[in-house]
Amino acid sequence: MPAASVRLRGPPCGQPAHPSPATWQHGRVTAATHSTLFPRVPDSADAVLEGLDPEQRAVATALHGPVCVLAGAGTGKTRAITHRIAYGVRAGLLQPSSVLAVTFTNRAAGEMRGRLRQLGAVGVQARTFHSAALRQLQYFWPKAVGGSLPRLVDRKVPLVADAAAVCRIRLDRGELRDVTAEIEWSKVTQTVPADYAAAAAKAGRETPRDPAEVAQLYSAYEDLKRERAVIDFEDVLLLTVAVLQDRQDIAEQVRAQYQHFVVDEYQDVSPLQQRLLELWLGDRENLCVVGDASQTIYSFTGATPDHLLDFRARHPGATVVKLVRDYRSTPQVVRLANGLLAQARGRAADHRLELISQRPAGSEPVFTEYTDEPAEAEGAARRIRELIDAGVPAGEIAVLFRTNAQSETYEQALADAGVPYQLRGAERFFDRPEVRRAIVALRAAARFGGNDALLDDAPDLPSQVRAVLSGEGWTAQPPAGSGAVRERWESLAALVHLAQDFAAARGGATLADLVAELDERAGAQHAPTVQGVTLASLHSAKGLEWDVVFLVGVAEGMMPITYAKTDEQIEEERRLLYVGVTRARERLHLSWALSRSPGGRPNRRPSRFLTGLRPGSGATGRGGAGGGAGVERGSFGAVPAPAAPVPRRGRRSPARCRVCGRTLTDAGEMKLMRCEDCPSDMDEGLYERLREWRADQARRSGQPAFCVFTDKTLIAIAETVPDDEHGLARIPGVGMRKLGRYGAEVLAICAGREVADERDPD
């Protein structure tokens, strides 16, 4: 039985029902659920508690006074707190309109609202800190200040650039982004420009420019906002705090509305958000917080676990519940995760939770060393292709990396392997132009579809959606390539899949029903699943999970990142890796490369965080053959399984531009074998013949054209015009498999011969 520390303070109770000033309440629309397959709503309060484990049940029934839930990764924290709210509502102990649940992302808030709707707790508000504060500020601004609320700017960078011009300080693109981040950090930590230099030094921040210059830019930025009568997202919190502090009558009105608070991901609360929460609460203690200090990975934004770790000191009578039963990951994955934290140091490490897997045994984590980063990407893509061919859905696989700059190499490798993918952290799904146009078209069809001949032969909802979206660019087969056209098709395909799931869950559903579902999802920014491998940074993967996870680039200098210098920064990097490990449900692959580019010096070593956890790791943390690729299988605390033989890659010379001779490191440039801006001597006629041949190959094989060869590989072929297999094999993106399958025909086209002659010499 997992250990749990629970202290109940008497029978559950709630506040009496309170009238709801609906004129400023945070809306009435609930978000779409996390799944389109809606389960049956529990028929009683007691039924809400069914299926909860003892610790989750303790959370759900602790409705009085302060409650602190320490919840490890995969332990069902969202389930526990949503059942807590639903149980209180269904038992008549909580008035729905008096509950405010806050979290950090629209996606998380949407999921929470969806689960509450499934449990029959309609009317409970689940919002982000910013959206809750903005709604209050919009309502109370005319009363507190007068006039209308200043316009909210969604991007700071242009304003920061203007501030730099005013200060006559030149900033490059990277510095512009970093100065903007410093301004955001200053505001959430409630640091004014005059105090910035001292605060940054105390926090150990590496400033992008001299601290005095950053402070000057910060001050100019604030002046420009006032001149232009605009506010930013941090101002929403700052101004709400100011109004609640200065106007007791307004603070009392807010407190009369909301009497019960739930805060998810409490370890990520900033000082400014904590201050706002305190003003919402007043002198009351009906507060439930949920968090895990071992998942604190956003300190660079001002987040701190101190509020979570100090909760019992601030609330001596608090009920404390620990959730340690891991329902997400196999024992093998959990063992590795626990091993990572066992080596941690610092205050957060002192409060770590030892997870206990509740799942059957699975595969051991796989550790792989590669000669260089392109080889690592190719190896991951090859394994992913094998998994998909074996029946693992592409949407249940993720490749996670430390920095967004690592993405491109994996995009190219997956495209070469014919694997569909999606980038997380890019433009939000419902903000994409093609999605907005598609929803407009679906709404029009729902209203006037009876007069549309396009729908005459579409008897059910999925076929109607396919018919409507075909006019927006959707086709049954994906387009060739991996660029913007492919991305637009993926967006429309996601809507088609959503329609299929929606129709399966709701028999007789109409286009109007689907449009209503899409509107709810758009309001919550709850995007449908795109069927592709997810590429994401470790930071953006927080809160998500997949059956199979590839953690790539787990090498010194990347994990921990080079600029992590202090003990606190190093420990946050360890926690970031812990978050990545705990995203995996069933299979976990960790890999690193000995050098950055082909032929480079193999002077990298595996991350120090893996020392003692991966098979064969000694005191130095170094393992594997010095220059060759190899696979280590096994996990912490287990005898390694025999390694499958992997062909050794020959030592490669550095990739150099064949025009100017510069060493190439960009994956796309290595594919072209030249710098992007170096002149091309491509044979245009040959390129078009190769494209026609590729299209024919794709039609005959029933696969996307880019699975045959990518555009950049065709360009490289048309530029070099190889005359034998050796020359063709040297072009990146060809490879031995494609050389054997397509080599003869490609060489025939390069020689000006008809491909048909090569196929049938008689």
Side-chain angles (χ1 to χ4, degrees):
M1 178 74 68
S5 173
V6 182
R7 189 162 69 83
L8 298 177
R9 304 179 62 233
C13 65
Q15 298 290 331
H18 204 90
S20 167
T23 52
W24 67 274
Q25 204 173 201
H26 295 214
R28 296 290 188 183
V29 179
T30 57
T33 63
H34 64 290
S35 169
T36 54
L37 305 177
F38 302 101
R40 183 174 59 87
V41 174
D43 56 13
S44 67
D46 288 340
V48 171
L49 301 179
E50 292 177 3
L52 300 181
D53 68 29
E55 294 77 42
Q56 292 171 344
R57 182 181 286 256
V59 174
T61 54
L63 297 175
H64 178 70
V67 178
C68 179
V69 183
L70 302 176
T75 57
K77 67 178 179 64
T78 305
R79 176 180 173 83
I81 58 176
T82 52
H83 280 69
R84 177 183 187 271
I85 296 170
Y87 175 70
V89 169
R90 299 293 299 277
L93 302 174
L94 298 179
Q95 181 73 12
S97 60
S98 73
V99 180
L100 177 60
V102 288
T103 187
F104 286 84
T105 66
N106 286 320
R107 182 193 61 79
E111 180 180 353
M112 192 178 293
R113 286 196 295 268
R115 292 198 190 191
L116 289 170
R117 183 175 68 176
Q118 290 175 352
L119 294 169
V122 179
V124 173
Q125 297 305 309
R127 298 281 172 179
T128 66
F129 271 101
H130 283 88
S131 66
L134 179 60
R135 185 64 176 172
Q136 292 175 18
L137 197 60
Q138 288 171 329
Y139 181 78
F140 289 113
W141 186 266
K143 180 178 180 180
V145 181
S148 58
L149 184 69
R151 180 175 62 87
L152 178 64
V153 293
D154 56 359
R155 294 182 67 240
K156 296 184 184 70
V157 170
L159 265 174
V160 176
D162 290 347
V166 169
C167 297
R168 298 184 178 180
I169 297 175
R170 293 176 62 91
L171 298 177
D172 62 30
R173 185 181 304 176
E175 289 175 323
L176 194 59
R177 182 188 63 242
D178 292 343
V179 168
T180 301
E182 287 302 294
I183 292 174
E184 291 175 349
W185 172 82
S186 300
K187 299 185 76 165
V188 300
T189 56
Q190 303 178 80
T191 302
V192 298
D195 297 336
Y196 169 78
K202 183 178 180 180
R205 295 184 72 83
E206 288 196 13
T207 59
R209 299 291 291 252
D210 181 271
E213 285 187 320
V214 177
Q216 183 184 2
L217 290 165
Y218 178 14
S219 179
Y221 168 81
E222 292 297 316
D223 290 340
L224 282 176
K225 285 200 292 97
R226 282 189 290 272
E227 290 174 11
R228 300 177 185 182
V230 297
I231 59 175
D232 60 27
F233 279 101
E234 287 71 40
D235 290 330
V236 170
L237 301 184
L238 285 164
L239 291 171
T240 304
V241 165
V243 168
L244 295 178
Q245 284 181 160
D246 294 345
R247 293 291 299 268
Q248 186 66 23
D249 57 330
I250 293 176
E252 290 301 327
Q253 191 173 344
V254 173
R255 292 167 190 161
Q257 172 63 52
Y258 291 124
Q259 300 178 28
H260 300 268
F261 296 86
V262 177
V263 184
D264 193 13
E265 303 287 3
Y266 193 54
Q267 78 279 351
D268 291 332
V269 166
S270 70
L272 180 56
Q273 290 164 332
Q274 175 65 22
R275 180 59 184 144
L276 177 60
L277 179 62
E278 291 168 353
L279 288 166
W280 282 340
L281 273 169
D283 58 2
R284 301 165 300 172
E285 288 202 320
N286 286 320
L287 170 66
C288 175
V289 301
V290 189
D292 178 10
S294 296
Q295 297 187 67
T296 305
I297 59 174
Y298 299 110
S299 66
F300 60 91
T301 67
T304 171
D306 289 345
H307 305 301
L308 175 67
L309 299 178
D310 293 339
F311 189 83
R312 282 170 285 185
R314 294 197 313 275
H315 305 277
T319 298
V320 178
V321 184
K322 293 182 180 180
L323 303 183
V324 296
R325 303 173 194 255
D326 188 320
Y327 297 96
R328 175 188 299 158
S329 304
T330 63
Q332 288 76 10
V333 173
V334 168
R335 189 182 300 121
L336 180 60
N338 286 337
L340 277 172
L341 291 188
Q343 301 179 5
R345 300 291 182 268
R347 192 178 182 212
D350 293 340
H351 294 79
R352 63 180 176 270
L353 300 170
E354 186 85 8
L355 299 178
I356 302 175
S357 176
Q358 306 297 297
R359 296 197 58 185
S363 302
E364 301 288 356
V366 177
F367 300 82
T368 310
E369 184 174 274
Y370 292 94
T371 55
D372 51 65
E373 289 183 1
E376 184 180 9
E378 292 167 11
R382 182 173 62 251
R383 288 174 182 266
I384 290 170
R385 179 75 267 172
E386 292 168 355
L387 287 168
I388 294 173
D389 291 343
V392 178
E396 290 297 343
I397 303 173
V399 178
L400 307 182
F401 32 75
R402 177 61 180 83
T403 67
N404 288 319
Q406 295 168 267
S407 171
E408 184 178 359
T409 303
Y410 289 88
E411 292 178 56
Q412 188 66 56
L414 291 173
D416 287 346
V419 174
Y421 65 86
Q422 57 173 325
L423 280 172
R424 181 164 182 82
E427 185 180 24
R428 296 196 297 185
F429 182 83
F430 288 103
D431 291 341
R432 298 175 187 172
E434 67 272 15
V435 173
R436 292 201 299 267
R437 289 194 297 268
I439 293 176
V440 168
L442 290 170
R443 181 173 288 109
R447 291 176 178 171
F448 311 112
N451 299 321
D452 192 342
L454 187 66
L455 302 182
D456 289 347
D457 297 324
D460 56 19
L461 177 60
S463 59
Q464 291 170 3
V465 171
R466 288 193 293 269
V468 173
L469 296 188
S470 64
E472 299 299 318
W474 179 82
T475 56
Q477 293 296 321
S482 58
V485 173
R486 174 75 183 210
E487 291 174 2
R488 287 193 292 271
W489 183 89
E490 293 283 4
S491 298
L492 299 178
L495 294 175
V496 171
H497 287 303
L498 176 64
Q500 293 168 346
D501 290 345
F502 190 72
R506 290 189 174 182
T510 65
L511 266 177
D513 295 329
L514 177 65
V515 169
E517 174 78 359
L518 290 172
D519 287 342
E520 290 184 354
R521 283 175 170 264
Q525 285 298 333
H526 185 202
T529 301
V530 177
Q531 282 307 307
V533 172
T534 299
L535 294 176
S537 70
L538 287 165
H539 282 102
S540 65
K542 178 77 166 62
L544 303 175
E545 58 188 72
W546 297 269
D547 286 346
V548 186
V549 168
F550 287 77
L551 285 173
V552 300
V554 191
E556 285 292 308
M558 192 61 71
M559 180 60 66
I561 199 75
T562 306
Y563 52 75
K565 304 293 186 184
T566 67
D567 291 343
E568 292 80 6
Q569 291 168 339
I570 295 294
E571 287 306 316
E572 181 152 337
E573 292 289 298
R574 188 193 306 275
R575 294 194 295 270
L576 189 57
L577 182 57
Y578 171 79
V579 166
V581 167
T582 55
R583 299 311 95 194
R585 297 191 194 105
E586 299 174 3
R587 305 185 196 182
L588 178 64
H589 297 253
L590 301 96
S591 63
W592 57 91
L594 296 175
S595 66
R596 179 179 180 183
S597 56
R601 291 184 60 190
N603 56 1
R604 290 184 176 178
R605 59 188 178 90
S607 169
R608 70 190 75 173
F609 301 145
L610 300 182
T611 300
L613 302 182
R614 61 184 180 85
S617 60
T620 62
R622 188 70 186 261
V631 180
E632 301 172 2
R633 299 183 187 274
S635 73
F636 172 60
V639 177
V646 176
R648 286 186 177 271
R649 299 176 64 92
R651 187 180 177 99
R652 290 187 269 183
S653 300
R656 297 187 183 279
C657 174
R658 54 190 173 77
V659 179
C660 70
R662 182 178 68 85
T663 300
L664 302 176
T665 57
D666 177 79
E669 291 183 343
M670 286 191 285
K671 187 77 67 175
L672 291 173
M673 301 196 304
R674 63 171 172 81
C675 304
E676 285 277 7
D677 53 359
C678 279
S680 169
D681 53 356
M682 182 176 70
D683 184 330
E684 296 285 353
L686 174 57
Y687 177 65
E688 290 304 319
R689 292 195 298 275
L690 288 168
R691 283 175 56 84
E692 292 172 3
W693 166 83
R694 183 182 66 174
D696 180 58
Q697 285 286 340
R699 281 193 297 271
R700 290 195 283 117
S701 62
Q703 61 181 341
F706 70 85
C707 293
V708 180
F709 286 120
T710 64
D711 287 344
K712 286 190 175 179
T713 298
L714 291 188
I715 291 172
I717 293 172
E719 289 183 344
T720 57
V721 195
D723 54 10
D724 57 23
E725 287 192 351
H726 178 71
L728 182 59
R730 293 181 61 188
I731 296 175
V734 175
M736 296 306 295
R737 181 177 63 84
K738 291 186 179 181
L739 181 67
R741 184 172 183 179
Y742 305 123
E745 295 188 7
V746 170
L747 290 171
I749 295 171
C750 290
R753 298 193 299 271
E754 291 293 331
V755 171
D757 295 340
E758 298 295 315
R759 294 186 192 134
D760 184 8
D762 296 330

